[in-house]
Amino acid sequence: MSTEIKASQARGRPRCFNLEEALDRSLLLFWQKGFQNTSLDEIAEAVGVKKPSLYAAFGDKEMLFRKVLLRYSGKLSEPVQALDRYDDIREAINAFIELGITSGCSHGHPRGCLLASAFADSTLLPPNLAKEIKALINQADQAVAQRLKKAVRDGQLPADFDVKGAAKFLITLMHGVALRIRAGESRTDLQRIKKAALRCLG
Amino acid sequence: MSTEIKASQARGRPRCFNLEEALDRSLLLFWQKGFQNTSLDEIAEAVGVKKPSLYAAFGDKEMLFRKVLLRYSGKLSEPVQALDRYDDIREAINAFIELGITSGCSHGHPRGCLLASAFADSTLLPPNLAKEIKALINQADQAVAQRLKKAVRDGQLPADFDVKGAAKFLITLMHGVALRIRAGESRTDLQRIKKAALRCLG
DNA sequence: CTAATTATTTACTAATGAGTACAGAAATTA
DNA sequence: TAATTTCTGTACTCATTAGTAAATAATTAG
């Protein structure tokens, strides 16, 4: 009952496309145009295969998106991981925001953040998808909260610091930033937003 | 050549529905389901009229949405206007965020902010619509910047304070907040986000 | 009353897109 | 080689939706 993706090396006709590659191409399309506005016809063409092959491999559109989302949230963790690379919490948060901006603006994929965009549209998506998206957002909130909690333990933040509130604040801000990035906001203006945000802990 | 909306009291068969009311109903639907996911069939039904009447009255879907957006941005200004109701900049910003939360959560309309949601999807919309949305966001940025500039003049903020960056920061944050509201975030958690944000100027 | 004007409805078109039935192709096993 | 398994493409179905053509209804001007 697990939704495993395996290179079934068993018998029968072998698959003529790579599953991981197909997910990557789907990711780019979903990222660029969202769940609703990406058609399976498009994806099939991008993957170089016909629609029924996709259905056979991934189920329906929702299941495909779910797999893409999981794949994405693996890579996504970059900025959150950066939080743990600095002992000083301000440096850590600076790196967190910086990496969010950098990765959101970097080339080789659409601008912005697939998860933030999906979150924005979550009320329009199939309920199960919406739940999964919210769960991923929640994970992000909690990962940031963990790091802030450590900063409190380390005496870098006051003992009564609202860790959960601050974590949600940071993730919320980055959602807004992701929308700006997607809409084409300039790097320099994004930097200014970052600096303004950093006053919150300075 | 202006896109005026007048109760043409001239001759010919009189219109059997109210234009403003039609815009209000359209607003609620677009707000709830976005531009792409709201069909003119739905709107026609909500207005109590057939599709061609809408086309005759408003042009096409894009023009209708444009008019809805203008109508909305009138009401939207509430939080921005609140900025001018307080002499102290911190109180002003507190009220700004508070009103954003309150109005985004209030009943009688969908949760969140039509403009923020539209902004999130702006890359998917017809180019002219996207431009108009960005222009409205820009207006908001500048309105906040104006108020911050005054605070600098009043000596409530340091002379080298980055007014434009802080303004963009606040609007960006509220976009993130609007997404959270839309996704069902609790009032108490939103308050905690607000308090975390207020540290930026405290 | 007649003509002109404007709004409304019925009934379409054309395009798009999710999902599927089915037959054929490519491999493994016996 | 024959049987079995699994994947692939062709060719659909069915639903939705933006937009329109054309006939009709309601009003004013003369």
Side-chain angles (χ1 to χ4, degrees):
Chain A
M1 60 177 296
S2 62
T3 55
E4 55 209 332
I5 298 171
K6 290 205 178 155
S8 60
Q9 64 256 24
R11 44 184 211 216
R13 177 172 177 170
R15 204 186 301 282
C16 70
F17 66 101
N18 182 279
L19 288 178
E20 312 270 319
E21 222 172 275
L23 285 178
D24 281 335
R25 307 229 183 202
S26 306
L27 169 60
L28 290 180
L29 284 170
F30 279 131
W31 193 343
Q32 184 183 47
K33 323 200 347 172
F35 176 74
Q36 313 250 24
N37 288 80
T38 305
S39 71
L40 279 181
D41 293 284
E42 268 176 297
I43 293 176
E45 195 185 342
V47 174
V49 82
K50 301 297 176 186
K51 246 192 315 181
S53 295
L54 291 181
Y55 278 94
F58 298 112
D60 61 4
K61 192 183 181 183
E62 182 178 340
M63 290 200 270
L64 173 57
F65 189 74
R66 195 187 295 269
K67 279 161 191 157
V68 163
L69 209 53
L70 286 181
R71 192 171 180 77
Y72 177 76
S73 70
K75 302 176 186 172
L76 178 67
S77 49
E78 254 187 76
V80 173
Q81 286 168 356
L83 281 173
D84 291 324
R85 278 207 294 277
Y86 296 85
D87 288 332
D88 180 62
I89 188 62
R90 291 174 203 174
E91 280 183 60
I93 291 175
N94 181 67
F96 168 75
I97 300 178
E98 184 62 37
L99 251 171
I101 293 174
T102 305
S103 65
C105 292
S106 68
H107 305 297
H109 59 70
R111 289 173 69 91
C113 169
L114 172 66
L115 185 56
S117 295
F119 184 57
D121 288 336
S122 62
T123 59
L124 311 175
L125 300 175
N128 287 331
L129 215 46
K131 269 179 210 149
E132 182 142 344
I133 289 164
K134 286 177 196 168
L136 289 172
I137 300 287
N138 210 37
Q139 272 180 34
D141 287 351
Q142 292 189 330
V144 174
Q146 279 307 321
R147 179 63 186 85
L148 291 174
K149 220 172 275 176
K150 175 173 178 296
V152 172
R153 280 200 306 274
D154 293 351
Q156 294 177 355
L157 292 173
D160 65 340
F161 187 82
D162 180 9
V163 157
K164 187 180 165 191
K168 277 177 183 287
F169 160 74
L170 283 171
I171 295 293
T172 299
L173 174 69
M174 291 316 286
H175 288 161
V177 167
L179 301 195
R180 293 251 177 185
I181 292 174
R182 190 167 170 79
E185 190 93 358
S186 75
R187 226 31 207 255
T188 54
D189 281 349
L190 293 165
Q191 290 297 332
R192 291 165 81 172
I193 292 172
K194 184 187 82 173
K195 281 183 191 148
L198 287 174
R199 294 173 62 100
C200 294
L201 300 154
Chain B
M1 62 175 298
S2 62
T3 55
E4 54 211 332
I5 298 169
K6 292 206 176 154
S8 60
Q9 64 256 23
R11 42 183 214 224
R13 178 171 177 170
R15 204 186 302 282
C16 70
F17 66 101
N18 182 282
L19 288 178
E20 312 271 319
E21 223 172 273
L23 285 178
D24 281 335
R25 307 231 182 199
S26 306
L27 170 61
L28 290 180
L29 285 170
F30 279 131
W31 193 343
Q32 184 182 48
K33 324 201 342 171
F35 176 74
Q36 313 250 25
N37 288 80
T38 305
S39 72
L40 280 179
D41 292 284
E42 269 176 297
I43 293 176
E45 195 185 343
V47 174
V49 81
K50 302 297 177 186
K51 242 191 320 179
S53 295
L54 291 181
Y55 278 95
F58 298 111
D60 61 3
K61 193 183 181 185
E62 182 179 337
M63 289 201 270
L64 173 57
F65 188 74
R66 195 186 294 268
K67 279 162 191 155
V68 163
L69 208 54
L70 286 182
R71 192 172 179 76
Y72 177 76
S73 70
K75 303 175 185 172
L76 177 69
S77 48
E78 254 188 74
V80 174
Q81 286 168 356
L83 281 174
D84 291 324
R85 278 207 294 278
Y86 295 85
D87 288 333
D88 180 61
I89 188 62
R90 290 174 203 173
E91 281 183 60
I93 291 174
N94 181 68
F96 168 75
I97 300 177
E98 184 62 37
L99 250 172
I101 293 175
T102 305
S103 65
C105 292
S106 68
H107 304 297
H109 59 71
R111 289 174 69 92
C113 169
L114 171 66
L115 185 56
S117 295
F119 184 56
D121 288 336
S122 62
T123 59
L124 311 175
L125 300 175
N128 287 332
L129 215 45
K131 270 179 210 151
E132 183 143 342
I133 289 164
K134 287 177 195 168
L136 289 171
I137 301 287
N138 210 36
Q139 271 181 36
D141 287 351
Q142 292 188 330
V144 175
Q146 279 306 322
R147 179 63 186 85
L148 292 174
K149 220 172 276 178
K150 176 173 177 295
V152 171
R153 279 199 307 272
D154 293 352
Q156 294 178 357
L157 292 173
D160 66 340
F161 188 82
D162 180 9
V163 158
K164 187 180 166 191
K168 278 178 182 287
F169 159 74
L170 283 171
I171 296 292
T172 299
L173 175 69
M174 292 316 287
H175 289 162
V177 167
L179 301 195
R180 293 249 178 188
I181 292 174
R182 190 167 171 80
E185 189 94 357
S186 75
R187 236 7 219 261
T188 54
D189 281 350
L190 293 165
Q191 291 297 330
R192 292 166 80 173
I193 292 173
K194 183 187 83 173
K195 281 183 191 146
L198 287 173
R199 294 173 60 100
C200 294
L201 300 154

